[in-house]
């Protein structure tokens, strides 16, 4: 039985480390090397299963030093971000490990009345109960971090590196108090050790609150950028619509004038000139009509751009009757989706530059599909960008996702067999 519990304890420890590392990796991305990622997991198993005792300077300081080296070696980001990661997760890691270890030990000694000085005189039943309580403490630790991950994963994934050094410094100052408190209270154990429990709880609360704070600041910066972008687009598209109306009217009259001239003038040179002008007019009049003025302008603008970049552009879009999406949201979704597709296509050889856009109503849903060839890299796109400059390039998918969530829809972006696929599904209000 003891052997079974030992094996179960081993599994629970690995499970806890896996969940805990997911939280750290969501806050601060790992380096891209597959070997380093694998090494990060095994190093985490060795580091984060440390047992924390009271008045134990070696383990307390060793855990701090180990986590600092771990973050520095295996994670990407600026030093300000890495310092914040240590200050956020070190107190939480120490608090939970200490609490679970101490609670399990207290329960064991309360039930068995065993001598706490040494386990040499323990009976077989006491040894079994000791292993059982230790296993239960590991189970509680795994459950705690699993629930914490479920609660915090949304906020952890919203944390971006577009914060300034000043903001990271303010967050670090905020987290310095729980960091010092947890280290000091466990090392200098008071006469009543139960006073450590509220300090541990406060450290956990501060750490999780800091995650929410950083997420909130990141989201606020993105929202401010998003608002500025929408205001700029609104002015731009309103002006474009006025210009398009005037140009369409001129071109319509020009087409009629050319028809009159064609019947009156028989010169071969003049006929050839008229034919050339007609082709230009027909091209303009024959752009995509989707049933949405904003989308028509976007598609015409992007069509001119892809023609310059020698990209094959295919559009099938019907927005007739789809009037629940606000104009600026139309520009956010389609503008960002096509900008991303064009940018990715530019990296491909000319013969492989293809963009496909499909949009239309399917029963009670409005569906958008954008496909383009890209560098082969399979997987779901979880962040806003894979570029180094997150501040300038990290808003496209994030903004589209915000708009999608606004209408209660779903956005999926993934790379699959050398093709980038973006799918958006929005429920049509009844």
């Amino acid at each position: 039985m003891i052997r079974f519990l030992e094996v179960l304890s081993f599994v629970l420890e690995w499970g806890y480390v896996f969940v805990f590392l997911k939280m750290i990796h969501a806050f601060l991305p790992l380096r891209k090397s597959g070997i380093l990622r694998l090494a990060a997991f095994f190093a985490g198993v060795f580091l984060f299963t440390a047992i924390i005792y009271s008045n134990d300077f070696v383990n307390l300081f060793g855990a701090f030093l180990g986590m600092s080296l771990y973050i520095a070696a295996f994670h990407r980001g600026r030093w300000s971000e890495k310092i914040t990661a240590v200050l956020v997760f070190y107190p939480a890691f120490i608090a939970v490990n200490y609490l679970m270890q101490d609670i399990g030990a207290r329960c064991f000694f309360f039930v068995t009345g065993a001598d706490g000085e040494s386990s040499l005189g323990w009976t077989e039943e006491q040894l079994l109960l000791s292993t059982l309580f230790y296993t239960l403490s590991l189970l509680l630790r795994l459950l705690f971090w699993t629930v914490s991950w479920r609660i915090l994963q949304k906020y952890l994934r919203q944390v971006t590196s577009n914060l300034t050094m000043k903001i990271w410094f303010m967050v670090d100052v905020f987290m310095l108090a729980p960091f010092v408190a947890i280290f000091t209270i466990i090392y200098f154990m008071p006469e009543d050790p139960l006073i450590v429990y509220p300090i541990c709880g406060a450290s956990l609360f501060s750490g999780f609150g800091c995650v929410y704070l950083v997420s909130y600041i990141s989201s606020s910066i993105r929202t401010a950028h998003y608002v500025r972008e929408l205001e700029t687009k609104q002015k731009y598209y309103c002006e474009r619509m006025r210009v398009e109306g005037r140009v369409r009217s001129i071109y319509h009259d020009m087409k009629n004038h050319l028809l009159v001239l064609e019947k009156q003038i028989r010169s071969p040179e003049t006929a050839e000139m008229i034919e050339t002008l007609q082709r230009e007019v027909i091209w303009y009049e024959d752009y995509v009509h989707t049933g949405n003025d904003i989308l028509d302008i976007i598609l015409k603008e992007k069509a001119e751009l892809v023609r310059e970049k020698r990209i094959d552009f295919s559009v099938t879009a019907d927005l007739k009757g789809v009037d629940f999406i606000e104009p600026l949201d139309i520009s956010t979704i389609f503008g960002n989706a096509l900008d991303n597709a064009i940018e990715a296509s530019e990296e491909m050889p000319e013969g492989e530059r293809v963009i496909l856009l499909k949009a239309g109503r399917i029963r009670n849903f409005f569906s958008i599909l954008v496909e383009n060839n890209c560098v082969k890299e399979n997987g779901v796109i979880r962040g806003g960008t894979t570029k180094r400059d997150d501040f300038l390039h990290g808003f496209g998918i994030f903004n589209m996702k915000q708009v999608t969530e606004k209408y209660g829809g779903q956005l999926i972006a993934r790379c699959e067999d050398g093709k980038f696929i973006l799918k958006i599904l929005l429920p049509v209000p009844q």
Side-chain angles (χ1 to χ4, degrees):
M1 185 63 179
I2 293 179
R3 181 60 179 169
F4 169 75
L5 291 175
E6 288 175 345
V7 173
L8 182 58
S9 298
F10 177 79
V11 174
L12 292 174
E13 278 191 329
W14 281 58
Y16 142 71
V17 171
F18 176 77
V19 177
F20 185 66
L21 290 180
K22 280 180 70 72
M23 296 183 68
I24 297 179
H25 300 166
F27 186 87
L28 199 62
L30 277 170
R31 298 190 186 277
K32 294 183 178 182
S33 170
I35 296 177
L36 283 179
R37 287 172 178 265
L38 185 62
F41 176 73
F42 286 103
V45 172
F46 173 77
L47 175 62
F48 298 118
T49 54
I51 299 175
I52 305 300
Y53 297 101
S54 58
N55 311 122
D56 185 1
F57 178 81
V58 173
N59 274 347
L60 283 170
F61 183 75
F64 166 69
L65 182 62
M67 177 174 281
S68 301
L69 294 174
Y70 180 91
I71 296 293
F74 296 113
H75 287 264
R76 291 178 286 153
R78 294 173 295 179
W79 284 106
S80 55
E81 300 165 22
K82 293 182 178 182
I83 291 172
T84 303
V86 173
L87 293 177
V88 167
F89 289 102
Y90 173 79
F93 151 63
I94 293 295
V96 173
N97 281 24
Y98 174 80
L99 284 175
M100 297 310 171
Q101 174 73 16
D102 192 67
I103 291 172
R106 286 177 178 276
C107 291
F108 165 73
F109 289 117
F110 176 79
V111 171
T112 64
D115 181 12
E117 296 296 329
S118 174
S119 61
L120 295 177
W122 290 358
T123 64
E124 186 175 342
E125 181 182 0
Q126 288 174 329
L127 290 172
L128 175 61
L129 287 173
S130 174
T131 308
L132 175 62
F133 278 109
Y134 177 68
T135 304
L136 289 175
S137 69
L138 292 177
L139 177 61
L140 286 175
R141 186 168 63 177
L142 174 60
L143 291 175
F144 174 84
W145 285 114
T146 302
V147 173
S148 300
W149 166 246
R150 295 289 297 175
I151 295 172
L152 294 176
Q153 60 177 326
K154 173 184 176 182
Y155 304 110
L156 287 166
R157 287 171 177 166
Q158 287 178 352
V159 174
T160 61
S161 60
N162 56 18
L163 303 183
T164 64
M165 293 286 289
K166 184 177 180 180
I167 294 176
W168 283 114
F169 177 74
M170 292 173 59
V171 174
D172 292 343
V173 171
F174 173 76
M175 282 305 303
L176 198 58
F179 172 84
V180 173
I182 196 70
F183 190 97
T184 305
I185 199 69
I186 293 179
Y187 178 60
F188 298 102
M189 178 63 68
E191 292 183 5
D192 183 7
L194 289 180
I195 199 174
V196 178
Y197 284 30
I199 300 297
C200 291
S203 296
L204 287 169
F205 182 80
S206 298
F208 293 167
C210 182
V211 170
Y212 174 78
L213 175 64
V214 176
S215 170
Y216 177 80
I217 295 173
S218 298
S219 180
S220 298
I221 291 176
R222 279 173 158 166
T223 301
H225 180 93
Y226 178 57
V227 170
R228 289 196 299 269
E229 180 186 28
L230 291 185
E231 290 174 348
T232 302
K233 284 185 175 181
Q234 183 179 28
K235 294 178 183 177
Y236 172 75
Y237 285 122
C238 286
E239 182 62 27
R240 282 298 299 264
M241 287 181 70
R242 287 194 293 269
V243 172
E244 287 287 321
R246 291 197 298 269
V247 173
R248 260 188 253 181
S249 175
I250 293 171
Y251 269 42
H252 184 269
D253 291 342
M254 185 183 293
K255 183 174 64 175
N256 294 332
H257 296 330
L258 289 173
L259 289 174
V260 173
L261 290 173
E262 186 180 23
K263 293 179 179 179
Q264 293 180 347
I265 303 175
R266 296 299 180 182
S267 167
E269 293 81 6
T270 306
E272 183 179 352
M273 185 181 300
I274 292 174
E275 185 180 349
T276 301
L277 291 173
Q278 284 178 330
R279 282 199 301 269
E280 294 294 328
V281 172
I282 291 173
W283 172 84
Y284 186 89
E285 292 289 336
D286 198 32
Y287 69 89
V288 178
H289 294 272
T290 65
N292 183 284
D293 292 337
I294 292 291
L295 182 56
D296 290 350
I297 293 173
I298 293 172
L299 292 178
K300 182 177 182 300
E301 184 181 71
K302 302 306 178 187
E304 295 172 1
L305 184 60
V306 297
R307 187 165 53 253
E308 293 175 4
K309 298 180 180 297
R310 301 182 183 277
I311 300 172
D312 187 7
F313 186 34
S314 175
V315 179
T316 304
D318 183 5
L319 273 72
K320 295 182 180 67
V322 181
D323 55 1
F324 68 96
I325 307 177
E326 296 178 10
L328 291 179
D329 294 334
I330 289 287
S331 69
T332 298
I333 292 175
F334 289 94
N336 281 309
L338 291 174
D339 284 341
N340 290 344
I342 291 170
E343 189 171 352
S345 297
E346 286 184 276
E347 299 178 2
M348 305 295 295
E350 285 194 8
E352 299 179 21
R353 297 179 181 180
V354 179
I355 298 176
L356 170 66
L357 168 64
K358 291 183 179 181
R361 180 168 178 170
I362 303 176
R363 296 185 180 179
N364 295 326
F365 292 91
F366 178 65
S367 172
I368 302 170
L369 171 67
V370 180
E371 294 183 3
N372 60 270
N373 291 335
C374 64
V375 179
K376 291 187 178 181
E377 182 179 340
N378 292 349
V380 176
I381 307 300
R382 301 192 181 279
T385 181
T386 57
K387 300 181 181 67
R388 293 181 180 178
D389 192 347
D390 294 337
F391 185 78
L392 292 178
H393 297 285
F395 299 103
I397 291 180
F398 178 83
N399 289 343
M400 287 188 284
K401 188 173 182 180
Q402 272 198 329
V403 172
T404 301
E405 292 175 350
K406 171 182 174 180
Y407 295 98
Q410 185 178 18
L411 180 149
I412 299 174
R414 68 175 186 271
C415 291
E416 189 175 272
D417 298 328
K419 183 174 292 186
F420 182 84
I421 302 173
L422 173 70
K423 293 182 179 179
I424 297 177
L425 203 61
L426 305 177
V428 178
Q430 298 299 319

